[in-house]
Amino acid sequence: MKLILDLQLFADAEKTEKPTPKRRREAREEGQVLQSKEVTTTFILLVSILGIRLLGKYFINYLLKFIRDVYKGIENVDQLFNENNLMINFIKILSSFFVLVGPIIFISFIAGLIINYLQVGFLFTSKPLKLKLNRINPVEGFKRLFSKRALVELAKAILKIALIGYIAYSYLNKNLLKIINLQKFNTTSFLGNFSSLLFGFSIRIVGALAIISVIDYFFQWREHEKSLMMTKQEIKEEFKQTEGDPLIKSKIRERQRQIAMSRMMQDVPKADVIITNPTHIAIAIKYDSSLYDAPYVLAKGANVVAENIKKVGKEHSIPLIENRPLARALYDTVEVGDLIPEEFYEAVAEVLAYVYSLKDEFRRIDDEIW
């Protein structure tokens, strides 16, 4: 007995479609954004090292002043362990620590805000903090432990250790004599030379981390895009949710047509003339020199709509002029509210002139009667 499977049944389950703007927006609201921790760490480290380099002289001078101040009020070694002196020195050490470290902490904090804003933009959401049962599921945890992302993180850790180890070895080997000769300098010179050596080593470490950051950012971008991919069925469902049910949409369009028709029929009494086919088409035209330089269409319709336009026109004593070619041409080329095109100026002008002459004749007859 052969078992035949239709692979088309599984085709829609494959995430082969690019994410829609709605999918990206929802993922962002869930906290699922493109972000590389390696880029963040490297940038903060770089800014912090540059900050220390820039404020290095200030740090050295303050540290020397602190050492002098600590021992200035102590007359002998025994007083160093006096209870009062211990408390005073502890407070001095603590305050000096914050004075020294405070600027670097502030610089690192600002650097962290800047790099995160550049990667993610402004985003505030509490959804990632919500408890999800799959996070405490041991099976899911075991899967994550041996997932592709976990292997990449392991590879990054090994690569960082290898690079930092190599840089440390090569840098120490190159500057070994300088490090040995540091003992010959006084305190100020020792701190200055030592900070220069440390700065050179740190910059090389940041350079290596920058290379890893670029690779990691590309990987994170690829994984982020992959996680946002959608199936064909998801695309269809989103389209339904966005555009609405076709039946409801048709009812909405029908209602909109009814409203538009009602408004159009309300404008018919304002027309100067209604040009007819005579039975199938009716075009209501108005000319107001204070509004437009040319006549414009107030209403148009065919069959039943045309009959309604003519009916309203008769009720309000609007002239109905039969002109088959002009009615057909205007119906095919001009929409409601549009000005009459130049090619129809002469024909429409003749109709309006005739209508105005009729109105003048009726007005003259009316004046003679009264």
Side-chain angles (χ1 to χ4, degrees), residues 163-232:
L163 280 175
I164 293 172
Y166 173 76
I167 291 170
Y169 171 77
S170 59
Y171 189 77
L172 289 173
N173 190 44
K174 184 179 179 180
N175 297 277
L176 186 59
L177 289 177
K178 290 182 181 179
I179 296 171
I180 294 173
N181 291 329
L182 285 176
Q183 59 181 331
K184 298 177 182 179
F185 298 107
N186 59 34
T187 305
T188 304
S189 299
F190 171 82
L191 291 174
N193 284 277
F194 179 75
S195 64
S196 296
L197 288 170
L198 188 61
F199 177 76
F201 175 71
S202 301
I203 287 297
R204 285 166 173 77
I205 294 296
V206 170
L209 293 178
I211 296 173
I212 298 175
S213 298
V214 172
I215 298 172
D216 182 67
Y217 188 84
F218 176 76
F219 171 76
Q220 297 297 339
W221 171 80
R222 188 170 175 273
E223 288 298 302
H224 179 69
E225 290 296 314
K226 188 177 179 181
S227 67
L228 295 179
M229 294 288 282
M230 304 172 68
T231 64
K232 292 181 180 180

Side-chain angles (χ1 to χ4, degrees), residues 16 21 56 116 135 143-144 152 172 179 203 215 232 238 255 286 311 320:
T16 56
N116 278 289
R135 291 180 180 176
K143 288 181 180 178
R144 287 194 296 269
V152 170
L172 289 173
I179 296 171
I203 287 297
I215 298 172
K232 292 181 180 180
E238 182 180 302
R255 180 58 181 165
K286 172 75 176 177
K311 181 181 177 182
L320 273 68

Side-chain angles (χ1 to χ4, degrees), residues 266-278:
Q266 291 174 3
D267 290 336
V268 172
K270 302 175 186 177
D272 292 326
V273 63
I274 297 175
I275 302 175
T276 65
N277 193 17

Side-chain angles (χ1 to χ4, degrees), residues 35-272:
Q35 185 180 28
S36 171
K37 294 180 181 178
E38 297 298 330
V39 171
T40 302
T41 303
T42 303
F43 184 78
I44 293 174
L45 186 60
L46 174 62
V47 172
S48 300
I49 291 172
L50 293 177
I52 293 172
R53 180 68 172 180
L54 185 65
L55 301 172
K57 192 173 182 180
Y58 158 76
F59 287 149
I60 292 174
N61 291 335
Y62 188 87
L63 187 60
L64 292 174
K65 180 179 177 298
F66 164 72
I67 294 172
R68 287 194 298 266
D69 290 343
V70 168
Y71 294 100
K72 186 177 180 179
I74 301 175
E75 295 180 359
N76 53 55
V77 179
D78 294 334
Q79 292 185 10
L80 180 64
F81 299 99
N82 182 278
E83 184 177 348
N84 291 331
N85 287 337
L86 280 175
M87 181 58 67
I88 292 171
N89 289 333
F90 175 75
I91 294 173
K92 284 185 177 180
I93 291 171
L94 193 63
S95 60
S96 298
F97 173 78
F98 283 112
V99 171
L100 284 170
V101 179
I104 301 304
I105 293 176
F106 179 75
I107 290 172
S108 300
F109 177 73
I110 297 300
L113 291 179
I114 292 172
I115 191 62
N116 278 289
Y117 179 79
L118 292 176
Q119 289 191 85
V120 180
F122 181 77
L123 175 64
F124 178 78
T125 177
S126 60
K127 290 184 178 180
L129 301 177
K130 292 181 179 179
L131 179 64
K132 293 183 180 179
L133 295 179
N134 63 341
R135 291 180 180 176
I136 58 177
N137 187 340
V139 177
E140 293 296 325
F142 188 77
K143 288 181 180 178
R144 287 194 296 269
L145 188 62
F146 295 95
S147 63
K148 180 181 178 181
R149 183 175 292 274
L151 294 176
V152 170
E153 293 296 327
L154 178 62
K156 283 194 301 182
I158 295 173
L159 181 61
K160 282 193 285 187
I161 292 171
L163 280 175
I164 293 172
Y166 173 76
I167 291 170
Y169 171 77
S170 59
Y171 189 77
L172 289 173
N173 190 44
K174 184 179 179 180
N175 297 277
L176 186 59
L177 289 177
K178 290 182 181 179
I179 296 171
I180 294 173
N181 291 329
L182 285 176
Q183 59 181 331
K184 298 177 182 179
F185 298 107
N186 59 34
T187 305
T188 304
S189 299
F190 171 82
L191 291 174
N193 284 277
F194 179 75
S195 64
S196 296
L197 288 170
L198 188 61
F199 177 76
F201 175 71
S202 301
I203 287 297
R204 285 166 173 77
I205 294 296
V206 170
L209 293 178
I211 296 173
I212 298 175
S213 298
V214 172
I215 298 172
D216 182 67
Y217 188 84
F218 176 76
F219 171 76
Q220 297 297 339
W221 171 80
R222 188 170 175 273
E223 288 298 302
H224 179 69
E225 290 296 314
K226 188 177 179 181
S227 67
L228 295 179
M229 294 288 282
M230 304 172 68
T231 64
K232 292 181 180 180
Q233 184 61 34
E234 287 175 336
I235 296 286
K236 293 177 183 177
E237 291 297 327
E238 182 180 302
F239 179 79
K240 286 183 179 179
Q241 293 174 4
T242 305
E243 300 297 326
D245 187 87
L247 181 59
I248 296 176
K249 284 177 62 179
S250 65
K251 289 183 178 180
I252 292 174
R253 283 196 294 266
E254 180 61 28
R255 180 58 181 165
Q256 289 173 340
R257 281 195 294 268
Q258 291 175 358
I259 294 173
M261 181 67 65
S262 176
R263 290 176 180 173
M264 185 181 73
M265 297 306 294
Q266 291 174 3
D267 290 336
V268 172
K270 302 175 186 177
D272 292 326

